């Protein structure tokens, strides 16, 4: 069964919990770009929903880090919606959008898109259930277009060799990852949001 369109999804499932991201001096973003940054912060904080991903990412959106890549939003949702399953809590210590510049980027099907590349400097802690806390110090790259986020990547600080967000998830969720099922409709999305206390 296909997911509901963004237009039909419950407003609660589309709520952005980080509507006013911090911008470095001199950086300006459009309202849609600000929304895209807020969605990415929500995902890092375990506040993602399938409706929110479908509303803000193009169908062939790419997530990538130095160790892995997701080639569409279904795969992306499968990775990032699992955060509440494997963490006790997550905490954004600080964040700042440091730049926004025009680029040509590609989606998971190889199609080219004119986009704005947004660099988000992020300090974020994940408190994992079986293995303590992982401190992420990274730059998140968001390629934003009017149609949605085309590419979303994680560039860990070079001096921290094992600081990839997706690698951290894989490292600690080996036992539960196979059980992660992406919601296939609004009812399942809402039930998942209620279970993990995402605003409903």
């Amino acid at each position: 069964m296909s997911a509901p369109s963004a237009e039909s999804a419950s407003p609660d499932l589309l709520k952005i919990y980080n509507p006013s991201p911090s911008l470095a001096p001199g950086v300006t973003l459009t309202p849609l770009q600000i929304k895209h940054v807020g969605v990415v912060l929500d995902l890092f904080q375990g506040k993602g929903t399938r409706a929110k991903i479908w509303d803000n990412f193009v169908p062939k959106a790419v997530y990538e880090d130095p160790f892995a890549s997701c080639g569409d939003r279904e795969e992306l949702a499968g990775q990032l919606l699992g955060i509440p399953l494997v963490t006790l809590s997550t905490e954004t210590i600080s964040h700042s959008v440091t730049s926004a510049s025009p680029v040509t980027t590609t989606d998971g099907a190889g199609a080219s898109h004119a986009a704005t590349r947004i660099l988000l400097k992020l300090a974020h802690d994940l408190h994992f259930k079986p293995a303590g806390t992982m401190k992420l110090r990274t730059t998140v790259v968001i390629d934003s277009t009017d149609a949605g986020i085309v590419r979303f990547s994680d560039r860990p600080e070079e001096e921290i060799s094992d600081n990839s967000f997706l690698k951290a998830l894989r490292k600690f969720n080996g036992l539960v990852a196979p059980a992660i099922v992406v919601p296939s409709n609004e009812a399942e999305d809402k039930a998942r949001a209620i279970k993990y206390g995402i605003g409903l």
Side-chain angles (χ1 to χ4, degrees), residues 5-17 35 39 42 49-56:
S5 66
E7 291 79 7
S8 66
S10 165
D12 288 332
L13 295 175
L14 297 171
K15 180 179 178 180
I16 308 299
Y17 291 88
K35 181 185 177 187
V39 167
D42 284 2
T49 61
R50 177 167 178 155
K52 199 181 300 187
I53 290 174
W54 258 243
D55 188 40
N56 291 282

Side-chain angles (χ1 to χ4, degrees), residues 5-188:
S5 66
E7 291 79 7
S8 66
S10 165
D12 288 332
L13 295 175
L14 297 171
K15 180 179 178 180
I16 308 299
Y17 291 88
N18 291 275
S20 302
S22 175
L23 307 181
V27 175
T28 59
L29 299 179
T30 68
L32 181 59
Q33 291 163 358
I34 289 172
K35 181 185 177 187
H36 287 166
V37 174
V39 167
V40 167
L41 286 170
D42 284 2
L43 289 171
F44 272 79
Q45 294 168 6
K47 298 173 182 174
T49 61
R50 177 167 178 155
K52 199 181 300 187
I53 290 174
W54 258 243
D55 188 40
N56 291 282
F57 290 81
V58 302
K60 290 295 183 180
V62 172
Y63 176 85
E64 58 186 358
D65 70 11
F67 305 94
S69 178
C70 299
D72 60 40
R73 61 189 177 191
E74 186 82 26
E75 293 179 0
L76 186 149
Q79 291 288 345
L80 298 178
L81 294 185
I83 293 171
L85 273 173
V86 298
T87 60
L88 290 169
S89 63
T90 70
E91 180 182 9
T92 298
I93 307 303
S94 64
H95 75 275
S96 179
V97 174
T98 59
S99 71
S101 57
V103 297
T104 298
T105 191
T106 56
D107 63 21
S112 295
H113 298 262
T116 298
R117 176 158 293 170
I118 300 165
L119 300 186
L120 173 66
K121 190 172 181 63
L122 181 67
H124 188 80
D125 291 353
L126 296 99
H127 306 289
F128 287 95
K129 293 175 182 178
T133 297
M134 183 164 189
K135 297 180 179 295
L136 298 169
R137 303 298 180 261
T138 191
T139 296
V140 179
V141 183
I142 306 163
D143 288 351
S144 171
T145 72
D146 289 345
I149 298 171
V150 173
R151 187 170 288 269
F152 163 36
S153 57
D154 171 23
R155 295 180 180 172
E157 293 182 1
E158 292 182 1
E159 65 269 23
I160 306 175
S161 60
D162 191 21
N163 197 32
S164 155
F165 183 54
L166 195 53
K167 187 173 183 181
L169 291 182
R170 291 201 312 274
K171 184 175 182 179
F172 292 110
N173 76 357
L175 293 177
V176 299
I180 295 173
V181 177
V182 177
S184 62
N185 55 50
E186 182 174 354
E188 291 179 2

